[in-house]
Amino acid sequence: MKRVTGIGGIFFKAKDAPVLRAWYQRHLGIDVQEWGGTAFSWTDAGGMTVWCIGEAGGDQFAPSQATFMVNYRVEDLHALVAVLKQEGCNVLEKIDESEYGKFAWVIDPEGNKVELWEPPAAQ
């Protein structure tokens, strides 16, 4: 079974999100959109990687204390979650399913929250 097939997104918390977004836009040329990030399209596989800066203070990354979270694309979320649990990983019980795909979370040994994403069939 394939596990991770790519990076679906990178999310940051910022003390001053508008200032940080402007810095990335001005100095690195990232086309930051109104929603706080951008989507980098893949030239060879038809997918994309999302990059986003949000305001600090939310609990999107909880229980991690990190200011970032990486979202990894996977092919079969439910199968991978089952395997990770069997391997003794700290998998959070919640699995979200929506029009955006399926999402689950695991905490790595350093306490970082890792998001696993199975995109909808069309992506």
Side-chain angles (χ1 to χ4, degrees):
M1 170 185 69
K2 275 191 174 179
R3 294 189 184 215
V4 170
T5 61
I7 295 177
I10 302 170
F11 304 91
F12 301 90
K13 286 184 185 179
K15 294 173 189 161
D16 190 338
V19 168
L20 191 57
R21 290 177 193 139
W23 185 92
Y24 275 94
Q25 190 162 22
R26 178 176 179 208
H27 298 289
L28 299 183
I30 295 175
D31 184 21
V32 180
Q33 302 296 303
E34 289 295 318
W35 53 269
T38 195
F40 294 103
S41 297
W42 302 349
T43 57
D44 61 344
M48 72 174 102
T49 299
V50 173
W51 176 95
C52 185
I53 295 175
E55 295 291 339
D59 65 352
Q60 178 184 0
F61 303 167
S64 174
Q65 298 299 309
T67 59
F68 68 93
M69 181 174 64
V70 178
N71 164 293
Y72 293 101
R73 293 173 65 109
V74 302
E75 286 186 356
D76 187 341
L77 182 75
H78 289 285
L80 179 55
V81 164
V83 168
L84 292 173
K85 285 180 178 180
Q86 289 173 353
E87 293 172 348
C89 294
N90 182 5
V91 179
L92 302 182
E93 289 301 317
K94 179 179 174 184
I95 293 180
D96 283 347
E97 297 190 29
S98 72
E99 69 270 18
Y100 303 110
K102 300 173 188 173
F103 298 86
W105 298 268
V106 60
I107 306 299
D108 76 12
E110 297 273 328
N112 300 305
K113 187 176 183 182
V114 175
E115 187 169 66
L116 305 173
W117 171 51
E118 181 182 332
Q123 290 187 3

